Amino acid sequence: MPNGIKVPMPTLERLANYLTIFSDLKIRNVETVSSADLESRAGINAAQFRKDLSYFGEFGRPGIGYNVNELQARISRILNLQKTQSVLLVGAGNLGAALAGYHPLRTENFQIVAAFDNNPNKIGKQLWDLTIQDIDEIISVNKVLQARIGIIAVPASAAQETAERLVSANVVNILNFAPTFIRIPSNVTVRHIDFLQELAVLSYYLPEDD
Amino acid sequence: MPNGIKVPMPTLERLANYLTIFSDLKIRNVETVSSADLESRAGINAAQFRKDLSYFGEFGRPGIGYNVNELQARISRILNLQKTQSVLLVGAGNLGAALAGYHPLRTENFQIVAAFDNNPNKIGKQLWDLTIQDIDEIISVNKVLQARIGIIAVPASAAQETAERLVSANVVNILNFAPTFIRIPSNVTVRHIDFLQELAVLSYYLPEDD
DNA sequence: TAGATTGTTAATCGATTAACAATC
DNA sequence: TAGATTGTTAATCGATTAACAATC
């Protein structure tokens, strides 16, 4: 990063998106694109794309455009996706199972390396290629695994406690699927995926034809 | 809505959040709250809360605060959550199964009323209390069900086609779980939930101690 | 009445969009 | 060289935060 300054969160969120577009382009054997190409092909804003990249240096050549391979490689690196990131999963219910079996994760270099639950009926059972472990073991298990990302896939009522356990196991980044707000220390980053919130927003836009 | 004007998207997204906070308060038998209470209890910004509400009218009493019941009822209504909303699910894989079995949906008045897939091995099988139906039947099925919200839980490669089928079946609001951009007519609203994007953002914030 | 708290207007902040000089 | 397109600066837009008069 040439300048050590603040990258806007919307920019960061878009970077991951750009990556999927680049994968598509590679499949179609597109080697070079201009920001205008990207706008017409993928519905992104050309000016915004260039502005987003500008936080991280120079990526293209005036008059020519961008090399797709280079773009992909450099943005992957910015997002720390160049090597596999280990992820802990807490909650081996339906959602946890879906996440653990979600193939695109591997494609993007994320690997769920352990699954935990507090239900004695589940502990010891298999979840795909993982053995579900006792949440009480999370600290010692992660001393070995050294994962820094954790996923909360437990009911809302258990989310806060789960967050605290993850933090005590040295996880610093949490993806929370429970429909509730969790309090965490300021050095920990949380992203919240809330189906209900998304559906509620959609519901607002419903035509009132009844 | 007193004024027929533009509600900012961030405001809309927060409304759903506020609802879950109100549920909590009701459980704790809190009848009245001030915006300052909400700030200290739930980490929301008091000024922002009042501003958010202001788009929809007056909700509280100066010097007193807000009645939790009224707040909940009115915001539910604003989001069209006062009566059950029917939802179509396309994709009966792991993720689709998790969504169909996700209990909090019912609590918030969403009901998945039909599940579709294009895999002959799945069509006819049960997904919880639903029978998986052939995606080719979606138009005729939804002529009866009249759902206006659809969920895309298929692989990225099938997402665009699925979106088009949903639109042709008269769905106007789509929640897309596939990690890809989908093109839709301008009268249709799409919300995109992208695990990979969320993980990528978290990955960016990883400490570089290696 | 005095204290508390709303709803709203104004000030600040930050992100998006537009424009263009630099450059391939 | 002329045409295309970048990276960046400046202008615009919109959201957040602060402040306060109205009011319970």
Side-chain angles (χ1 to χ4, degrees), chain A residues 9 12-13 17 41 79-80 83 85 105 173 183 191 197-199 202-206 210, chain B residues 9 12-13 17 41 79-80 83 85 105 173 183 191 197-199 202-206 210:
Chain A
M9 182 56 76
L12 228 37
E13 292 171 347
N17 242 301
R41 278 170 170 276
L79 294 172
N80 290 315
K83 65 174 168 53
Q85 296 291 353
L105 286 182
N173 292 332
R183 256 168 268 254
R191 303 280 299 174
Q197 176 178 301
E198 299 298 331
L199 282 170
L202 288 178
S203 181
Y204 174 80
Y205 286 109
L206 241 28
D210 41 293
Chain B
M9 183 56 78
L12 229 37
E13 292 170 348
N17 242 301
R41 277 168 171 278
L79 294 173
N80 290 315
K83 65 175 167 55
Q85 296 292 351
L105 285 182
N173 293 331
R183 256 168 267 253
R191 303 280 299 172
Q197 176 177 303
E198 299 298 330
L199 283 170
L202 288 177
S203 180
Y204 175 80
Y205 287 109
L206 241 27
D210 44 291

mmCIF file of all heavy atoms in Angstrom, chain A residues 9 12-13 17 41 79-80 83 85 105 173 183 191 197-199 202-206 210, chain B residues 9 12-13 17 41 79-80 83 85 105 173 183 191 197-199 202-206 210:
data_model
loop_
_atom_site.group_PDB
_atom_site.id
_atom_site.type_symbol
_atom_site.label_atom_id
_atom_site.label_comp_id
_atom_site.label_asym_id
_atom_site.label_seq_id
_atom_site.Cartn_x
_atom_site.Cartn_y
_atom_site.Cartn_z
ATOM 1 N N MET A 9 -14.805 1.510 3.538
ATOM 2 C CA MET A 9 -15.389 0.170 3.607
ATOM 3 C C MET A 9 -16.103 -0.227 2.311
ATOM 4 O O MET A 9 -15.929 -1.356 1.838
ATOM 5 C CB MET A 9 -16.351 0.079 4.800
ATOM 6 C CG MET A 9 -16.973 -1.284 4.996
ATOM 7 S SD MET A 9 -15.765 -2.618 5.180
ATOM 8 C CE MET A 9 -15.215 -2.343 6.877
ATOM 9 N N LEU A 12 -13.606 -1.605 -0.083
ATOM 10 C CA LEU A 12 -13.167 -2.937 0.309
ATOM 11 C C LEU A 12 -14.189 -3.988 -0.104
ATOM 12 O O LEU A 12 -13.857 -5.056 -0.617
ATOM 13 C CB LEU A 12 -12.993 -2.946 1.821
ATOM 14 C CG LEU A 12 -11.719 -3.517 2.405
ATOM 15 C CD1 LEU A 12 -10.513 -3.197 1.558
ATOM 16 C CD2 LEU A 12 -11.549 -2.972 3.818
ATOM 17 N N GLU A 13 -15.454 -3.684 0.130
ATOM 18 C CA GLU A 13 -16.507 -4.633 -0.205
ATOM 19 C C GLU A 13 -16.560 -4.881 -1.713
ATOM 20 O O GLU A 13 -16.831 -5.995 -2.159
ATOM 21 C CB GLU A 13 -17.856 -4.125 0.310
ATOM 22 C CG GLU A 13 -17.924 -4.131 1.844
ATOM 23 C CD GLU A 13 -19.146 -3.436 2.393
ATOM 24 O OE1 GLU A 13 -19.837 -2.732 1.631
ATOM 25 O OE2 GLU A 13 -19.405 -3.563 3.592
ATOM 26 N N ASN A 17 -15.844 -8.325 -4.975
ATOM 27 C CA ASN A 17 -16.704 -8.435 -6.147
ATOM 28 C C ASN A 17 -15.920 -8.403 -7.452
ATOM 29 O O ASN A 17 -16.170 -9.190 -8.363
ATOM 30 C CB ASN A 17 -17.649 -7.244 -6.161
ATOM 31 C CG ASN A 17 -19.073 -7.683 -6.065
ATOM 32 O OD1 ASN A 17 -19.531 -8.428 -6.923
ATOM 33 N ND2 ASN A 17 -19.738 -7.256 -5.016
ATOM 34 N N ARG A 41 -19.771 -4.586 -19.279
ATOM 35 C CA ARG A 41 -19.907 -6.031 -19.088
ATOM 36 C C ARG A 41 -20.545 -6.402 -17.754
ATOM 37 O O ARG A 41 -21.375 -7.301 -17.674
ATOM 38 C CB ARG A 41 -18.527 -6.698 -19.095
ATOM 39 C CG ARG A 41 -17.959 -6.969 -20.456
ATOM 40 C CD ARG A 41 -16.514 -7.399 -20.284
ATOM 41 N NE ARG A 41 -15.944 -7.912 -21.517
ATOM 42 C CZ ARG A 41 -16.074 -9.146 -21.953
ATOM 43 N NH1 ARG A 41 -16.772 -10.010 -21.251
ATOM 44 N NH2 ARG A 41 -15.508 -9.530 -23.075
ATOM 45 N N LEU A 79 -6.168 -8.486 -0.394
ATOM 46 C CA LEU A 79 -7.166 -9.059 0.502
ATOM 47 C C LEU A 79 -6.632 -10.272 1.276
ATOM 48 O O LEU A 79 -7.403 -10.977 1.932
ATOM 49 C CB LEU A 79 -8.416 -9.454 -0.290
ATOM 50 C CG LEU A 79 -9.191 -8.296 -0.919
ATOM 51 C CD1 LEU A 79 -10.287 -8.811 -1.831
ATOM 52 C CD2 LEU A 79 -9.798 -7.410 0.169
ATOM 53 N N ASN A 80 -5.338 -10.501 1.186
ATOM 54 C CA ASN A 80 -4.728 -11.652 1.868
ATOM 55 C C ASN A 80 -5.305 -12.985 1.407
ATOM 56 O O ASN A 80 -5.416 -13.927 2.193
ATOM 57 C CB ASN A 80 -4.902 -11.531 3.397
ATOM 58 C CG ASN A 80 -4.060 -10.438 3.984
ATOM 59 O OD1 ASN A 80 -2.889 -10.292 3.660
ATOM 60 N ND2 ASN A 80 -4.666 -9.630 4.845
ATOM 61 N N LYS A 83 -2.849 -16.870 0.027
ATOM 62 C CA LYS A 83 -2.669 -18.189 0.633
ATOM 63 C C LYS A 83 -3.921 -18.563 1.435
ATOM 64 O O LYS A 83 -4.700 -17.712 1.843
ATOM 65 C CB LYS A 83 -1.422 -18.238 1.504
ATOM 66 C CG LYS A 83 -1.433 -17.358 2.733
ATOM 67 C CD LYS A 83 -0.176 -17.656 3.559
ATOM 68 C CE LYS A 83 0.070 -16.635 4.655
ATOM 69 N NZ LYS A 83 -0.997 -16.342 5.575
ATOM 70 N N GLN A 85 -6.652 -19.306 4.003
ATOM 71 C CA GLN A 85 -6.945 -18.816 5.344
ATOM 72 C C GLN A 85 -7.747 -19.869 6.105
ATOM 73 O O GLN A 85 -8.778 -20.335 5.634
ATOM 74 C CB GLN A 85 -7.775 -17.529 5.263
ATOM 75 C CG GLN A 85 -7.077 -16.359 4.601
ATOM 76 C CD GLN A 85 -5.924 -15.819 5.436
ATOM 77 O OE1 GLN A 85 -5.720 -16.237 6.574
ATOM 78 N NE2 GLN A 85 -5.169 -14.908 4.845
ATOM 79 N N LEU A 105 -15.971 -21.739 -1.124
ATOM 80 C CA LEU A 105 -15.006 -21.269 -0.125
ATOM 81 C C LEU A 105 -13.596 -21.689 -0.497
ATOM 82 O O LEU A 105 -12.661 -20.884 -0.449
ATOM 83 C CB LEU A 105 -15.335 -21.840 1.267
ATOM 84 C CG LEU A 105 -16.525 -21.265 2.015
ATOM 85 C CD1 LEU A 105 -16.645 -21.930 3.383
ATOM 86 C CD2 LEU A 105 -16.376 -19.761 2.186
ATOM 87 N N ASN A 173 -11.151 -12.031 13.701
ATOM 88 C CA ASN A 173 -12.161 -11.620 12.730
ATOM 89 C C ASN A 173 -13.321 -12.596 12.746
ATOM 90 O O ASN A 173 -13.116 -13.800 12.609
ATOM 91 C CB ASN A 173 -11.563 -11.571 11.325
ATOM 92 C CG ASN A 173 -10.545 -10.460 11.183
ATOM 93 O OD1 ASN A 173 -10.627 -9.453 11.861
ATOM 94 N ND2 ASN A 173 -9.591 -10.654 10.301
ATOM 95 N N ARG A 183 -21.282 -7.886 21.111
ATOM 96 C CA ARG A 183 -20.283 -6.963 21.629
ATOM 97 C C ARG A 183 -18.922 -7.633 21.560
ATOM 98 O O ARG A 183 -18.782 -8.778 22.012
ATOM 99 C CB ARG A 183 -20.586 -6.664 23.107
ATOM 100 C CG ARG A 183 -21.195 -5.327 23.381
ATOM 101 C CD ARG A 183 -21.710 -5.297 24.817
ATOM 102 N NE ARG A 183 -23.118 -5.713 24.826
ATOM 103 C CZ ARG A 183 -24.123 -4.850 24.999
ATOM 104 N NH1 ARG A 183 -23.885 -3.568 25.209
ATOM 105 N NH2 ARG A 183 -25.369 -5.267 24.967
ATOM 106 N N ARG A 191 -18.214 -8.974 10.927
ATOM 107 C CA ARG A 191 -19.143 -8.739 9.821
ATOM 108 C C ARG A 191 -20.392 -9.535 10.133
ATOM 109 O O ARG A 191 -20.312 -10.657 10.629
ATOM 110 C CB ARG A 191 -18.552 -9.218 8.492
ATOM 111 C CG ARG A 191 -17.221 -8.581 8.137
ATOM 112 C CD ARG A 191 -17.330 -7.225 7.559
ATOM 113 N NE ARG A 191 -18.079 -7.205 6.316
ATOM 114 C CZ ARG A 191 -18.392 -6.069 5.686
ATOM 115 N NH1 ARG A 191 -18.022 -4.902 6.177
ATOM 116 N NH2 ARG A 191 -19.075 -6.101 4.569
ATOM 117 N N GLN A 197 -32.738 -9.501 8.128
ATOM 118 C CA GLN A 197 -32.636 -8.097 7.764
ATOM 119 C C GLN A 197 -32.780 -7.919 6.264
ATOM 120 O O GLN A 197 -33.489 -7.032 5.790
ATOM 121 C CB GLN A 197 -31.299 -7.531 8.238
ATOM 122 C CG GLN A 197 -31.094 -6.095 7.805
ATOM 123 C CD GLN A 197 -29.788 -5.529 8.310
ATOM 124 O OE1 GLN A 197 -29.527 -5.481 9.501
ATOM 125 N NE2 GLN A 197 -28.945 -5.103 7.374
ATOM 126 N N GLU A 198 -32.127 -8.774 5.512
ATOM 127 C CA GLU A 198 -32.195 -8.672 4.056
ATOM 128 C C GLU A 198 -33.622 -8.888 3.560
ATOM 129 O O GLU A 198 -34.116 -8.156 2.688
ATOM 130 C CB GLU A 198 -31.259 -9.690 3.402
ATOM 131 C CG GLU A 198 -29.789 -9.513 3.741
ATOM 132 C CD GLU A 198 -29.229 -8.181 3.284
ATOM 133 O OE1 GLU A 198 -29.721 -7.632 2.285
ATOM 134 O OE2 GLU A 198 -28.294 -7.669 3.940
ATOM 135 N N LEU A 199 -34.275 -9.887 4.122
ATOM 136 C CA LEU A 199 -35.660 -10.141 3.726
ATOM 137 C C LEU A 199 -36.558 -8.975 4.128
ATOM 138 O O LEU A 199 -37.478 -8.605 3.394
ATOM 139 C CB LEU A 199 -36.164 -11.444 4.363
ATOM 140 C CG LEU A 199 -35.676 -12.718 3.688
ATOM 141 C CD1 LEU A 199 -36.022 -13.939 4.527
ATOM 142 C CD2 LEU A 199 -36.283 -12.859 2.286
ATOM 143 N N LEU A 202 -36.241 -6.281 1.597
ATOM 144 C CA LEU A 202 -36.998 -6.650 0.398
ATOM 145 C C LEU A 202 -38.493 -6.466 0.636
ATOM 146 O O LEU A 202 -39.223 -5.966 -0.222
ATOM 147 C CB LEU A 202 -36.718 -8.102 0.010
ATOM 148 C CG LEU A 202 -35.349 -8.399 -0.577
ATOM 149 C CD1 LEU A 202 -35.215 -9.887 -0.860
ATOM 150 C CD2 LEU A 202 -35.117 -7.598 -1.847
ATOM 151 N N SER A 203 -38.913 -6.876 1.808
ATOM 152 C CA SER A 203 -40.331 -6.795 2.153
ATOM 153 C C SER A 203 -40.839 -5.355 2.069
ATOM 154 O O SER A 203 -41.957 -5.095 1.624
ATOM 155 C CB SER A 203 -40.526 -7.358 3.568
ATOM 156 O OG SER A 203 -41.869 -7.323 3.941
ATOM 157 N N TYR A 204 -39.970 -4.428 2.468
ATOM 158 C CA TYR A 204 -40.328 -3.003 2.387
ATOM 159 C C TYR A 204 -40.674 -2.606 0.954
ATOM 160 O O TYR A 204 -41.558 -1.791 0.727
ATOM 161 C CB TYR A 204 -39.164 -2.155 2.896
ATOM 162 C CG TYR A 204 -39.381 -0.668 2.724
ATOM 163 C CD1 TYR A 204 -40.161 0.050 3.615
ATOM 164 C CD2 TYR A 204 -38.790 0.023 1.661
ATOM 165 C CE1 TYR A 204 -40.367 1.412 3.462
ATOM 166 C CE2 TYR A 204 -38.989 1.386 1.499
ATOM 167 C CZ TYR A 204 -39.780 2.082 2.404
ATOM 168 O OH TYR A 204 -39.969 3.426 2.244
ATOM 169 N N TYR A 205 -39.965 -3.193 0.012
ATOM 170 C CA TYR A 205 -40.153 -2.812 -1.385
ATOM 171 C C TYR A 205 -41.289 -3.556 -2.081
ATOM 172 O O TYR A 205 -41.456 -3.458 -3.287
ATOM 173 C CB TYR A 205 -38.856 -3.026 -2.170
ATOM 174 C CG TYR A 205 -37.822 -1.986 -1.842
ATOM 175 C CD1 TYR A 205 -36.691 -2.295 -1.105
ATOM 176 C CD2 TYR A 205 -38.000 -0.668 -2.247
ATOM 177 C CE1 TYR A 205 -35.748 -1.328 -0.792
ATOM 178 C CE2 TYR A 205 -37.059 0.301 -1.939
ATOM 179 C CZ TYR A 205 -35.943 -0.042 -1.215
ATOM 180 O OH TYR A 205 -35.029 0.919 -0.913
ATOM 181 N N LEU A 206 -42.044 -4.312 -1.303
ATOM 182 C CA LEU A 206 -43.157 -5.040 -1.877
ATOM 183 C C LEU A 206 -44.233 -4.086 -2.390
ATOM 184 O O LEU A 206 -44.554 -3.101 -1.729
ATOM 185 C CB LEU A 206 -43.766 -5.931 -0.784
ATOM 186 C CG LEU A 206 -43.794 -7.435 -0.938
ATOM 187 C CD1 LEU A 206 -42.663 -7.951 -1.804
ATOM 188 C CD2 LEU A 206 -43.741 -8.065 0.436
ATOM 189 N N ASP A 210 -52.599 -5.226 -2.245
ATOM 190 C CA ASP A 210 -53.557 -6.135 -1.595
ATOM 191 C C ASP A 210 -54.563 -5.386 -0.717
ATOM 192 O O ASP A 210 -54.461 -4.211 -0.511
ATOM 193 C CB ASP A 210 -52.804 -7.169 -0.764
ATOM 194 C CG ASP A 210 -51.633 -6.581 -0.011
ATOM 195 O OD1 ASP A 210 -50.654 -6.159 -0.680
ATOM 196 O OD2 ASP A 210 -51.670 -6.526 1.217
ATOM 197 N N MET B 9 -31.130 3.932 2.027
ATOM 198 C CA MET B 9 -30.984 2.492 2.215
ATOM 199 C C MET B 9 -30.401 2.136 3.583
ATOM 200 O O MET B 9 -30.883 1.199 4.230
ATOM 201 C CB MET B 9 -30.135 1.913 1.081
ATOM 202 C CG MET B 9 -29.975 0.410 1.112
ATOM 203 S SD MET B 9 -31.544 -0.493 1.117
ATOM 204 C CE MET B 9 -31.993 -0.364 -0.622
ATOM 205 N N LEU B 12 -33.128 2.004 6.090
ATOM 206 C CA LEU B 12 -33.967 0.820 5.925
ATOM 207 C C LEU B 12 -33.302 -0.406 6.540
ATOM 208 O O LEU B 12 -33.938 -1.215 7.222
ATOM 209 C CB LEU B 12 -34.175 0.599 4.430
ATOM 210 C CG LEU B 12 -35.575 0.357 3.907
ATOM 211 C CD1 LEU B 12 -36.605 1.174 4.633
ATOM 212 C CD2 LEU B 12 -35.592 0.676 2.414
ATOM 213 N N GLU B 13 -32.007 -0.535 6.289
ATOM 214 C CA GLU B 13 -31.296 -1.689 6.825
ATOM 215 C C GLU B 13 -31.282 -1.678 8.346
ATOM 216 O O GLU B 13 -31.354 -2.729 8.990
ATOM 217 C CB GLU B 13 -29.865 -1.724 6.265
ATOM 218 C CG GLU B 13 -29.846 -2.014 4.775
ATOM 219 C CD GLU B 13 -28.482 -1.829 4.128
ATOM 220 O OE1 GLU B 13 -27.579 -1.248 4.771
ATOM 221 O OE2 GLU B 13 -28.311 -2.251 2.987
ATOM 222 N N ASN B 17 -32.917 -4.131 12.109
ATOM 223 C CA ASN B 17 -32.109 -4.279 13.307
ATOM 224 C C ASN B 17 -32.814 -3.789 14.558
ATOM 225 O O ASN B 17 -32.792 -4.440 15.593
ATOM 226 C CB ASN B 17 -30.846 -3.447 13.141
ATOM 227 C CG ASN B 17 -29.630 -4.312 13.163
ATOM 228 O OD1 ASN B 17 -29.394 -5.011 14.129
ATOM 229 N ND2 ASN B 17 -28.885 -4.261 12.066
ATOM 230 N N ARG B 41 -27.685 0.604 25.681
ATOM 231 C CA ARG B 41 -28.003 -0.813 25.736
ATOM 232 C C ARG B 41 -27.543 -1.576 24.500
ATOM 233 O O ARG B 41 -27.037 -2.686 24.604
ATOM 234 C CB ARG B 41 -29.524 -1.019 25.814
ATOM 235 C CG ARG B 41 -30.122 -0.896 27.185
ATOM 236 C CD ARG B 41 -31.630 -0.840 27.034
ATOM 237 N NE ARG B 41 -32.319 -0.922 28.309
ATOM 238 C CZ ARG B 41 -32.568 -2.038 28.955
ATOM 239 N NH1 ARG B 41 -32.187 -3.189 28.448
ATOM 240 N NH2 ARG B 41 -33.206 -2.009 30.118
ATOM 241 N N LEU B 79 -42.310 -2.143 7.358
ATOM 242 C CA LEU B 79 -41.558 -3.138 6.591
ATOM 243 C C LEU B 79 -42.451 -4.242 6.019
ATOM 244 O O LEU B 79 -41.955 -5.251 5.524
ATOM 245 C CB LEU B 79 -40.460 -3.750 7.475
ATOM 246 C CG LEU B 79 -39.347 -2.801 7.911
ATOM 247 C CD1 LEU B 79 -38.429 -3.477 8.915
ATOM 248 C CD2 LEU B 79 -38.544 -2.311 6.711
ATOM 249 N N ASN B 80 -43.751 -4.050 6.103
ATOM 250 C CA ASN B 80 -44.699 -5.055 5.608
ATOM 251 C C ASN B 80 -44.541 -6.401 6.304
ATOM 252 O O ASN B 80 -44.754 -7.452 5.701
ATOM 253 C CB ASN B 80 -44.530 -5.267 4.094
ATOM 254 C CG ASN B 80 -44.999 -4.071 3.301
ATOM 255 O OD1 ASN B 80 -46.067 -3.521 3.572
ATOM 256 N ND2 ASN B 80 -44.198 -3.658 2.337
ATOM 257 N N LYS B 83 -48.040 -9.062 8.270
ATOM 258 C CA LYS B 83 -48.630 -10.348 7.895
ATOM 259 C C LYS B 83 -47.571 -11.221 7.202
ATOM 260 O O LYS B 83 -46.579 -10.718 6.668
ATOM 261 C CB LYS B 83 -49.847 -10.172 6.989
ATOM 262 C CG LYS B 83 -49.572 -9.566 5.634
ATOM 263 C CD LYS B 83 -50.878 -9.594 4.824
ATOM 264 C CE LYS B 83 -50.825 -8.744 3.582
ATOM 265 N NZ LYS B 83 -49.739 -9.004 2.653
ATOM 266 N N GLN B 85 -45.265 -13.178 4.876
ATOM 267 C CA GLN B 85 -44.868 -13.025 3.481
ATOM 268 C C GLN B 85 -44.448 -14.383 2.927
ATOM 269 O O GLN B 85 -43.598 -15.064 3.510
ATOM 270 C CB GLN B 85 -43.687 -12.065 3.365
ATOM 271 C CG GLN B 85 -43.976 -10.637 3.801
ATOM 272 C CD GLN B 85 -44.934 -9.914 2.868
ATOM 273 O OE1 GLN B 85 -45.273 -10.418 1.789
ATOM 274 N NE2 GLN B 85 -45.377 -8.737 3.278
ATOM 275 N N LEU B 105 -36.997 -17.425 10.584
ATOM 276 C CA LEU B 105 -37.790 -16.857 9.494
ATOM 277 C C LEU B 105 -39.250 -16.757 9.903
ATOM 278 O O LEU B 105 -39.897 -15.728 9.698
ATOM 279 C CB LEU B 105 -37.687 -17.729 8.233
ATOM 280 C CG LEU B 105 -36.396 -17.668 7.432
ATOM 281 C CD1 LEU B 105 -36.521 -18.556 6.196
ATOM 282 C CD2 LEU B 105 -36.092 -16.240 7.002
ATOM 283 N N ASN B 173 -39.013 -9.353 -5.771
ATOM 284 C CA ASN B 173 -37.903 -9.113 -4.852
ATOM 285 C C ASN B 173 -37.100 -10.396 -4.686
ATOM 286 O O ASN B 173 -37.642 -11.438 -4.349
ATOM 287 C CB ASN B 173 -38.415 -8.649 -3.489
ATOM 288 C CG ASN B 173 -39.044 -7.280 -3.570
ATOM 289 O OD1 ASN B 173 -38.674 -6.465 -4.401
ATOM 290 N ND2 ASN B 173 -40.012 -7.030 -2.710
ATOM 291 N N ARG B 183 -28.321 -9.814 -13.516
ATOM 292 C CA ARG B 183 -29.011 -8.741 -14.210
ATOM 293 C C ARG B 183 -30.512 -8.940 -14.065
ATOM 294 O O ARG B 183 -31.014 -10.036 -14.305
ATOM 295 C CB ARG B 183 -28.681 -8.808 -15.702
ATOM 296 C CG ARG B 183 -27.691 -7.784 -16.189
ATOM 297 C CD ARG B 183 -27.235 -8.144 -17.595
ATOM 298 N NE ARG B 183 -26.017 -8.958 -17.493
ATOM 299 C CZ ARG B 183 -24.802 -8.490 -17.800
ATOM 300 N NH1 ARG B 183 -24.666 -7.259 -18.248
ATOM 301 N NH2 ARG B 183 -23.737 -9.249 -17.665
ATOM 302 N N ARG B 191 -31.273 -8.174 -3.370
ATOM 303 C CA ARG B 191 -30.295 -8.049 -2.289
ATOM 304 C C ARG B 191 -29.353 -9.223 -2.440
ATOM 305 O O ARG B 191 -29.775 -10.338 -2.732
ATOM 306 C CB ARG B 191 -30.970 -8.097 -0.919
ATOM 307 C CG ARG B 191 -32.033 -7.043 -0.711
ATOM 308 C CD ARG B 191 -31.514 -5.699 -0.354
ATOM 309 N NE ARG B 191 -30.774 -5.689 0.883
ATOM 310 C CZ ARG B 191 -30.098 -4.612 1.308
ATOM 311 N NH1 ARG B 191 -30.082 -3.493 0.594
ATOM 312 N NH2 ARG B 191 -29.449 -4.648 2.435
ATOM 313 N N GLN B 197 -17.535 -12.608 -0.145
ATOM 314 C CA GLN B 197 -17.198 -11.197 -0.031
ATOM 315 C C GLN B 197 -16.969 -10.821 1.429
ATOM 316 O O GLN B 197 -16.005 -10.125 1.762
ATOM 317 C CB GLN B 197 -18.320 -10.346 -0.620
ATOM 318 C CG GLN B 197 -18.075 -8.861 -0.432
ATOM 319 C CD GLN B 197 -19.158 -8.025 -1.071
ATOM 320 O OE1 GLN B 197 -19.428 -8.124 -2.260
ATOM 321 N NE2 GLN B 197 -19.785 -7.178 -0.273
ATOM 322 N N GLU B 198 -17.832 -11.297 2.292
ATOM 323 C CA GLU B 198 -17.698 -10.975 3.718
ATOM 324 C C GLU B 198 -16.387 -11.527 4.274
ATOM 325 O O GLU B 198 -15.685 -10.857 5.030
ATOM 326 C CB GLU B 198 -18.882 -11.538 4.508
ATOM 327 C CG GLU B 198 -20.233 -10.985 4.095
ATOM 328 C CD GLU B 198 -20.352 -9.491 4.303
ATOM 329 O OE1 GLU B 198 -19.696 -8.967 5.226
ATOM 330 O OE2 GLU B 198 -21.085 -8.826 3.537
ATOM 331 N N LEU B 199 -16.076 -12.752 3.896
ATOM 332 C CA LEU B 199 -14.820 -13.345 4.362
ATOM 333 C C LEU B 199 -13.619 -12.593 3.791
ATOM 334 O O LEU B 199 -12.621 -12.396 4.481
ATOM 335 C CB LEU B 199 -14.753 -14.825 3.971
ATOM 336 C CG LEU B 199 -15.593 -15.767 4.833
ATOM 337 C CD1 LEU B 199 -15.657 -17.149 4.222
ATOM 338 C CD2 LEU B 199 -15.036 -15.846 6.260
ATOM 339 N N LEU B 202 -13.041 -9.552 5.837
ATOM 340 C CA LEU B 202 -12.393 -9.926 7.105
ATOM 341 C C LEU B 202 -10.925 -10.251 6.879
ATOM 342 O O LEU B 202 -10.057 -9.865 7.661
ATOM 343 C CB LEU B 202 -13.097 -11.136 7.722
ATOM 344 C CG LEU B 202 -14.477 -10.894 8.313
ATOM 345 C CD1 LEU B 202 -15.061 -12.199 8.823
ATOM 346 C CD2 LEU B 202 -14.430 -9.859 9.432
ATOM 347 N N SER B 203 -10.680 -10.951 5.791
ATOM 348 C CA SER B 203 -9.321 -11.360 5.476
ATOM 349 C C SER B 203 -8.389 -10.149 5.328
ATOM 350 O O SER B 203 -7.236 -10.171 5.744
ATOM 351 C CB SER B 203 -9.343 -12.189 4.195
ATOM 352 O OG SER B 203 -8.058 -12.623 3.843
ATOM 353 N N TYR B 204 -8.950 -9.093 4.764
ATOM 354 C CA TYR B 204 -8.177 -7.849 4.608
ATOM 355 C C TYR B 204 -7.686 -7.341 5.957
ATOM 356 O O TYR B 204 -6.582 -6.806 6.067
ATOM 357 C CB TYR B 204 -9.043 -6.790 3.939
ATOM 358 C CG TYR B 204 -8.381 -5.430 3.851
ATOM 359 C CD1 TYR B 204 -7.451 -5.149 2.854
ATOM 360 C CD2 TYR B 204 -8.684 -4.423 4.762
ATOM 361 C CE1 TYR B 204 -6.849 -3.907 2.767
ATOM 362 C CE2 TYR B 204 -8.090 -3.176 4.688
ATOM 363 C CZ TYR B 204 -7.168 -2.924 3.691
ATOM 364 O OH TYR B 204 -6.567 -1.691 3.617
ATOM 365 N N TYR B 205 -8.505 -7.511 6.983
ATOM 366 C CA TYR B 205 -8.180 -6.978 8.304
ATOM 367 C C TYR B 205 -7.308 -7.907 9.137
ATOM 368 O O TYR B 205 -7.082 -7.667 10.316
ATOM 369 C CB TYR B 205 -9.465 -6.649 9.071
ATOM 370 C CG TYR B 205 -10.139 -5.420 8.542
ATOM 371 C CD1 TYR B 205 -11.329 -5.502 7.835
ATOM 372 C CD2 TYR B 205 -9.561 -4.169 8.727
ATOM 373 C CE1 TYR B 205 -11.946 -4.365 7.335
ATOM 374 C CE2 TYR B 205 -10.166 -3.027 8.231
ATOM 375 C CZ TYR B 205 -11.359 -3.137 7.532
ATOM 376 O OH TYR B 205 -11.947 -2.010 7.040
ATOM 377 N N LEU B 206 -6.830 -8.986 8.506
ATOM 378 C CA LEU B 206 -5.978 -9.915 9.228
ATOM 379 C C LEU B 206 -4.664 -9.240 9.603
ATOM 380 O O LEU B 206 -4.074 -8.533 8.786
ATOM 381 C CB LEU B 206 -5.700 -11.109 8.319
ATOM 382 C CG LEU B 206 -6.137 -12.504 8.727
ATOM 383 C CD1 LEU B 206 -7.334 -12.507 9.654
ATOM 384 C CD2 LEU B 206 -6.438 -13.314 7.481
ATOM 385 N N ASP B 210 2.939 -12.890 9.756
ATOM 386 C CA ASP B 210 3.547 -14.132 9.275
ATOM 387 C C ASP B 210 4.682 -13.893 8.308
ATOM 388 O O ASP B 210 5.000 -12.799 7.949
ATOM 389 C CB ASP B 210 2.469 -14.999 8.617
ATOM 390 C CG ASP B 210 1.554 -14.196 7.720
ATOM 391 O OD1 ASP B 210 0.763 -13.371 8.265
ATOM 392 O OD2 ASP B 210 1.602 -14.368 6.510
#
